[in-house]
Amino acid sequence: MDKRQILRECAENLALLTQLGISVAAPPMLCLYAAGWLRDRYSLGGWVMAAGLIFGIGGGVMSAWRFWLIIRKRFEGKDGRGSGSGKSDGIGGEEHQD
């Protein structure tokens, strides 16, 4: 493996890590901002902030889960281990026996 290949893989992994961080951090921040705006605009109680936090965390978890599925599929294709059925060695799903 030459230096260019190593640098390319490092850059790809850094980009993926950055994408994961943004995907997890953005939903709670946006939901809390929207909840604060709703609270101030319509004089609602503090429960709106709690609901915004819950929705934001849920959105961050769902975003991370989708990201994990995409990355898992991508690396299974690189390794040649993918069975083509979308399931891998019992990770994230039931084991499949024929």
Side-chain angles (χ1 to χ4, degrees):
M1 192 180 269
D2 64 342
K3 287 185 177 183
R4 283 186 171 197
Q5 184 69 20
I6 292 171
L7 286 174
R8 179 184 168 108
E9 287 186 16
C10 286
E12 285 179 9
N13 291 336
L14 182 61
L16 290 174
L17 186 61
T18 303
Q19 177 64 37
L20 177 62
I22 291 171
S23 296
V24 170
M29 290 175 27
L30 291 173
C31 285
L32 283 174
Y33 176 77
W37 180 82
L38 284 171
R39 185 190 61 192
D40 295 341
R41 169 84 177 178
Y42 298 108
S43 300
L44 300 173
W47 63 271
V48 175
M49 295 299 286
L53 182 63
I54 290 169
F55 281 118
I57 290 173
V61 168
M62 288 302 298
S63 180
W65 177 251
R66 287 187 198 134
F67 186 79
W68 164 252
L69 292 176
I70 290 168
I71 295 303
R72 187 178 74 176
K73 184 183 285 188
R74 180 178 179 183
F75 282 107
E76 281 177 358
K78 273 188 179 178
D79 293 342
R81 293 184 313 137
S83 62
S85 65
K87 302 212 179 208
S88 68
D89 303 333
I91 298 174
E94 303 168 9
E95 289 195 25
H96 178 74
Q97 293 181 353
D98 290 330

